[in-house]
Amino acid sequence: MRYDDIVIPDTPACRGALEVATRYQTPSLLNHSVRAYLWAAAYAQSRAIDFDAELLYVSSMLHDVGLVAEFDSQTVPFEEAGGHVAWAFCAGAGWSPERRLRASEVIVRHMWEEVPLEEDPEGHLLELSTGMDISGRRTEDIPDGVRREVLERHPRLEIAKEFAACIADQGARKPSSIAGRFVRNGAADRIANNPLDA
């Protein structure tokens, strides 16, 4: 498998989600969002997992938008805030209520410890790929050549430092959230030791 084999959907909703991510996220968070989609799609394609590329792409671009100041919430975890943004975005894109809900669910579930593939393939893939990109979990499941080219085209920049700071802030302000549990369970060390940064 090569980078050019990865299916990258090109629809108005995908272009709009990328525009939102580019407008509101830092370059490091933007590249993380793009890599989250690419890792997920490469993993799925190499294992013949059926997935909705448009849904996964839009969810990937918006999954961390709840971390940025403009969409940060004082009352709900960042993944829930991102899910609300995605629902509103997808309504504007003309998606059905069911499809809007799916985008919101995929984003909320990316913070779960595990999302069953058979119940939610896009949620499973985004949970897996964000774990790969942030903590380096299961990066060996991406072919070496694809991994190198993705990192060349969408470099990591300051994602380890930025994300560690974001998750620490979320955990401190929302200690009962999944982010709070991640902080207490040593997320900073896993982020710092990500093999993708070696």
Side-chain angles (χ1 to χ4, degrees), residues 13-78:
C14 291
R15 292 191 294 274
L18 178 60
E19 184 177 356
V20 170
T22 303
R23 167 69 177 83
Y24 288 102
Q25 296 182 12
T26 66
S28 295
L29 270 179
L30 172 63
N31 281 6
H32 161 65
S33 297
V34 172
R35 286 191 308 273
Y37 174 79
L38 295 170
W39 300 142
Y43 178 89
Q45 288 175 229
S46 67
R47 285 160 178 77
I49 296 171
D50 220 12
F51 68 100
D52 181 327
E54 182 186 51
L55 173 61
L56 181 60
Y57 187 92
V58 168
S59 300
S60 297
M61 291 311 107
L62 302 178
H63 81 276
D64 276 344
V65 76
L67 290 173
V68 303
E70 293 85 348
F71 300 112
D72 186 17
S73 170
Q74 299 300 317
T75 59
V76 299
F78 81 90

Side-chain angles (χ1 to χ4, degrees), residues 5 12 28-29 71 77 86 88-89 97 103 107 129-130 136 142 168-169 176-177 181 185 189 194-195 197-198:
D5 297 325
S28 295
L29 270 179
F71 300 112
F89 171 87
I107 289 172
S129 70
T130 54
I142 302 297
D169 173 64
S176 63
S177 68
R181 190 177 75 232
N185 291 342
D189 289 341
N194 188 331
D197 290 321

Side-chain angles (χ1 to χ4, degrees), residues 111-139:
M111 286 292 285
W112 288 12
E113 233 169 271
E114 187 178 353
V115 180
L117 172 60
E118 58 281 358
E119 291 176 23
D120 182 357
E122 294 78 24
H124 173 82
L125 292 168
L126 189 60
E127 177 272 319
L128 178 71
S129 70
T130 54
M132 285 178 174
D133 203 63
I134 292 300
S135 65
R137 182 177 50 125
R138 296 183 59 181
T139 53

Side-chain angles (χ1 to χ4, degrees), residues 155-170:
R156 293 181 61 73
L157 305 176
E158 298 295 320
I159 190 60
K161 184 168 79 176
E162 281 187 32
F163 196 82
C166 285
I167 209 78
D169 173 64
Q170 291 286 319

Side-chain angles (χ1 to χ4, degrees), residues 170-188:
Q170 291 286 319
R173 289 191 290 119
K174 305 165 195 176
S176 63
S177 68
I178 295 174
R181 190 177 75 232
F182 279 12
V183 170
R184 290 189 297 277
N185 291 342

